[in-house]
Amino acid sequence: MDIFIIMGAAVGRSGEPSDAMQRRVGGAVVLAESSVDSRFLVTGAAAGHAPTEASVMKRLLQANGVPSDRILVDDRSANTLASVVRCTQILREQTPAQRVIVCTDRYHIPRCRWLFFLMGLRTAPGKMPSGLRANGLMRWTYYWVREALAIVADTFALPVIRYRAS
């Protein structure tokens, strides 16, 4: 069994998915086409009055023909670090997966995979859509720089979070 973890992205006030969310879900669906037995784990809480990121992604997956019993949901995590911790807990309660593939924008994949590794969960790489064209070079560069800083901060924050949870 392969599990495709789709990391959250912005949702509009009326529940419309952002371009980033559509790329992430679409990329996961394409990757899952080569999987014999796939499941999806969507993660992301609500920001403000919008529906949860996870619920919107679940709806997108269902619109792509994915049965709801193949979709696991984490609708409590409000950021990447919380998503990694919660998704790891959810996956430990499931039948062991052969592969766990992180589905997010390319700039976000290294941080997510690193944090899952620190949580003791090995992930496999998956080729996701770039997002460069949609974001433009300046925004894309900003996202890469932001991720470089966030990976350092999250690396130091994760042991504290794990200690408090134990």
Side-chain angles (χ1 to χ4, degrees):
M1 170 177 45
D2 293 337
I3 296 188
F4 297 87
I5 300 174
I6 308 174
M7 303 301 287
V11 172
R13 278 194 169 271
S14 60
E16 73 275 2
S18 62
D19 289 343
M21 180 179 287
Q22 291 180 37
R23 269 194 315 278
R24 293 172 186 194
V25 172
V29 168
V30 168
L31 287 173
E33 289 173 355
S34 62
S35 175
V36 175
D37 183 21
S38 59
R39 304 272 191 282
F40 297 86
L41 173 50
V42 293
T43 179
H49 299 291
T52 66
E53 295 168 2
S55 67
V56 175
M57 288 188 287
K58 181 176 181 176
R59 189 179 73 227
L60 287 172
L61 286 169
Q62 290 172 319
N64 277 282
V66 177
S68 60
D69 65 340
R70 293 192 167 271
I71 304 170
L72 303 169
V73 176
D74 162 34
D75 56 6
R76 299 187 313 200
S77 299
N79 58 51
T80 298
L81 189 53
S83 287
V84 167
V85 170
R86 181 71 184 124
C87 287
T88 301
Q89 293 168 343
I90 290 169
L91 292 178
R92 287 188 175 140
E93 296 168 0
Q94 298 298 311
T95 304
Q98 287 180 321
R99 291 187 314 158
V100 174
I101 300 96
V102 177
C103 301
T104 187
D105 283 291
R106 287 188 191 169
Y107 61 80
H108 196 217
I109 290 173
R111 176 164 59 127
C112 293
R113 292 192 67 210
W114 171 246
L115 293 172
F116 278 114
F117 174 79
L118 292 178
M119 289 293 296
L121 185 67
R122 298 255 183 206
T123 60
K127 186 161 174 74
M128 293 294 292
S130 167
L132 174 58
R133 181 173 287 148
N135 288 298
L137 182 60
M138 291 301 290
R139 181 179 282 175
W140 186 247
T141 303
Y142 163 76
Y143 288 151
W144 275 100
V145 171
R146 183 184 70 184
E147 287 298 307
L149 298 172
I151 199 169
V152 173
D154 285 352
T155 297
F156 287 103
L158 185 59
V160 174
I161 290 169
R162 291 182 76 180
Y163 174 76
R164 288 182 179 165
S166 62

